[in-house]
Amino acid sequence: MEASSKFVEKAIQKLPGRGADVLIQSLKDQGVDVIFGYPGGAVLPIYDALHQNPIRHVLARHEQGAIHAAEGYARVSGKTGVVIATSGPGATNLVTGIADAMLDSIALVVFTGQVASGVIGTDAFQEADILGITQPITKHSYQVKNVKDLPRIIKEAFYIASTGRPGPVVVDIPKDISTNLFVATNAKDEEVYLPGYQPTTSPNYLQIQKAALALSQAKKPLILAGAGVLTAKATKELKEFVERNQIPVTNTLLGLGSIAGNHKLFLGMAGMHGTYTANTAICDCDVLLNIGARFDDRLTGNLAHFAPNAKVIHIDIDPAEIGKNVPTAIPIVADAKQALLELLKQSFEAPDTTEWLECLSQNQIDYPLQYNAEKQQGILPQQAIQLIHRLTGGDAVVTTDVGQHQMWAAQYYAFNHPDNWVTSGGLGTMGFGFPAAIGAQLAKPNSKVISIVGDAGFQMTLQELSLLQELRLPVKVVILNNQCLGMVRQWQETFYEGRFSQSLIHVQPDFVKLAEAYDIKGYKVETLEEAEVVFAEALNSNEPVLIDCRVVQMENVYPMVAPGRGLNEMIGVKGE
């Protein structure tokens, strides 16, 4: 009887199946446990197959919400995010999220429906050349031509997205491919063979020796830790290396959390709105060890003034980033964790950083982050962030959009753990923060997730409030509401003689009533005393909450490095 049962089971496995069924099975083989998407005509066969399988599907209310949620999920979980959308407008609504994931190195596999193979190129209903549209903003892309290739393509897509420097891969599936029948071969245990794609993960030993020698001879060494440290799960190794050699550390915006915010050797974030101590340390250091950061313009400022006295060591898994913006004396192409492990094996003498650390420590005392609460009536956004930090102890997962609120969160929320900071760095996407929080909460269901957003960006994806109620996700949405496009307004004040062209928002929804319309608790706070009570109640609850926190409209983010200026030319520093 048992042998007969096994024979039947084997026979069933060999029966022809639809391409859509093979797709779902391939996703299960990749360990996918949640998909973010939105159905439509071209992907109905896929959704029909999904209906009969246990993979969880999250129905976003807009495709952009789906892909940002997948980004948040991937960023916090370390897994590859999966997105499905239909052809034409469904696919094009994903473009912003694909570009965002590409710039911030987030692993996504994006499945887009396509019109049937026979009518591709005829301007068929809901046809768009999504491969042509997304080619510059993807790590790789496929259009499935033969249903037999589907298992191999899916396996390759996940491999490419998650290895080397992570990024988005698009798989475009014509509708007939989803419905075609064939007997699938099991690609689960097959090795991925891509001769043209062989990421280097292990560092060159001679380069590691050169780096160790340079660090041992340094008087003013500095480590710049980027998101590559987090992606490589190398925070433990970074901490050990930093403490063993007593080398101070600064972070890029996306690298925050790679070392604890309260660590004695942490100088704060560097860049346009970085701390005085971090930025001047970059200008004064004699050896700069960059681990997993790409030297983007918001970090470096005027390149002529960036680390002018430093020998630059750059560890990056993407060779294209080394030497692209900043001349590099010692290039090391490798995974950040593997490079740090090799550096830790080197028996070089730790540099004497006593005087250097004393100087930096004094700078932190003399030039701290600051704001003037005495001259303002109402809640300052910095105070709101500090309150959130105090109530959560730095242990919450925090997501943001882009703009002033993002910079204040980066400055005033000190992260105790890696993978708790989710923000849009390279593309700077408004509308990212809230759906990203949904994905983050699904990735860490037992963690406190707080989405700190601006009033303008929140309105771009607020329809995803439906998901908080539908999925019973206890995300806390804190709107730092200054009734304007805050960073735009600040730049207009600073560089355009105060001409606030289309940056002040005079009509807003009642955000509390909006929350209640979705059956979510909503609060409005206008004083610091109200905020103390409401934030404590909301952040300690086990349900979704929205807080409309009215903050001072004309408050600016400082310090600031103006465009074209060097990191040593900050404005808004204490004592000016």
Side-chain angles (χ1 to χ4, degrees), residues 288-301:
L288 178 63
L289 172 57
N290 175 351
I291 310 174
R294 61 187 179 85
F295 285 134
D296 73 288
D297 57 296
R298 288 296 174 100
L299 167 71
T300 64

Side-chain angles (χ1 to χ4, degrees), residues 98 148 220 224 248 321-322 335 368 412 449 471 509 514 536 576:
I98 294 170
K148 294 181 180 179
K220 299 179 179 180
L224 172 67
E321 293 297 348
I322 297 179
D335 172 81
Y412 289 94
V449 177
L471 304 178
L514 179 70
E576 288 191 345

Side-chain angles (χ1 to χ4, degrees), residues 24-63:
I24 299 303
Q25 182 58 52
S26 296
L27 294 180
K28 289 164 67 176
D29 291 343
Q30 292 298 321
V32 173
D33 51 15
V34 61
I35 297 169
F36 301 87
Y38 203 98
V43 290
L44 283 181
I46 297 173
Y47 274 82
D48 187 53
L50 187 61
H51 181 69
Q52 303 168 49
N53 283 275
I55 299 179
R56 184 178 192 180
H57 181 278
V58 175
L59 176 64
R61 279 16 181 199
H62 190 284
E63 289 89 354

Side-chain angles (χ1 to χ4, degrees), residues 133-267:
I133 291 168
T134 62
Q135 187 174 13
I137 55 170
T138 54
K139 194 174 177 185
H140 194 63
S141 56
Y142 296 88
Q143 186 174 79
V144 184
K145 305 288 188 179
N146 189 320
V147 68
K148 294 181 180 179
D149 295 330
L150 198 53
R152 173 186 58 81
I153 286 174
I154 293 170
K155 187 163 188 178
E156 289 179 3
F158 276 84
Y159 177 76
I160 293 169
S162 61
T163 56
R165 179 180 178 177
V169 175
V170 167
V171 180
D172 195 44
I173 304 177
K175 188 172 184 179
D176 56 301
I177 296 294
S178 298
T179 57
N180 284 352
L181 296 175
F182 81 112
V183 177
T185 57
N186 186 2
K188 182 179 179 180
D189 299 321
E190 293 181 8
E191 291 291 327
V192 173
Y193 180 63
L194 298 169
Y197 176 70
Q198 301 290 331
T200 299
T201 58
S202 299
N204 180 283
Y205 183 70
L206 292 177
Q207 295 300 91
I208 289 290
Q209 286 186 313
K210 289 179 183 179
L213 179 62
L215 289 167
S216 69
Q217 295 175 343
K219 300 297 183 184
K220 299 179 179 180
L222 179 67
I223 292 174
L224 172 67
V229 175
L230 296 165
T231 302
K233 305 297 181 186
T235 56
K236 178 183 175 183
E237 290 75 16
L238 175 64
K239 182 175 183 287
E240 183 179 349
F241 185 76
V242 164
E243 292 178 349
R244 179 187 297 182
N245 297 288
Q246 290 296 291
I247 301 176
V249 186
T250 182
N251 278 147
T252 63
L253 173 67
L254 291 178
L256 290 170
S258 58
I259 192 163
N262 60 357
H263 196 285
K264 65 178 182 179
L265 291 171
F266 181 54
L267 308 180

Side-chain angles (χ1 to χ4, degrees), residues 501-571:
S501 178
Q502 304 303 312
S503 59
L504 305 183
I505 299 174
H506 302 292
V507 177
Q508 286 185 328
D510 184 323
F511 289 112
V512 174
K513 288 182 179 178
L514 179 70
E516 291 171 348
Y518 286 97
D519 197 23
I520 294 169
K521 276 190 177 179
Y523 300 88
K524 179 180 177 180
V525 296
E526 298 181 287
T527 68
L528 199 55
E529 292 74 21
E530 290 176 344
E532 288 273 358
V533 175
V534 168
F535 277 44
E537 178 183 335
L539 295 179
N540 289 319
S541 72
N542 293 316
E543 57 186 338
V545 177
L546 181 147
I547 303 173
D548 179 5
C549 182
R550 298 303 177 104
V551 297
V552 174
Q553 184 177 63
M554 303 302 286
E555 184 69 6
N556 290 335
V557 182
Y558 290 122
M560 180 179 182
V561 178
R565 299 291 185 177
L567 294 183
N568 59 338
E569 299 176 285
M570 289 171 280
I571 59 175

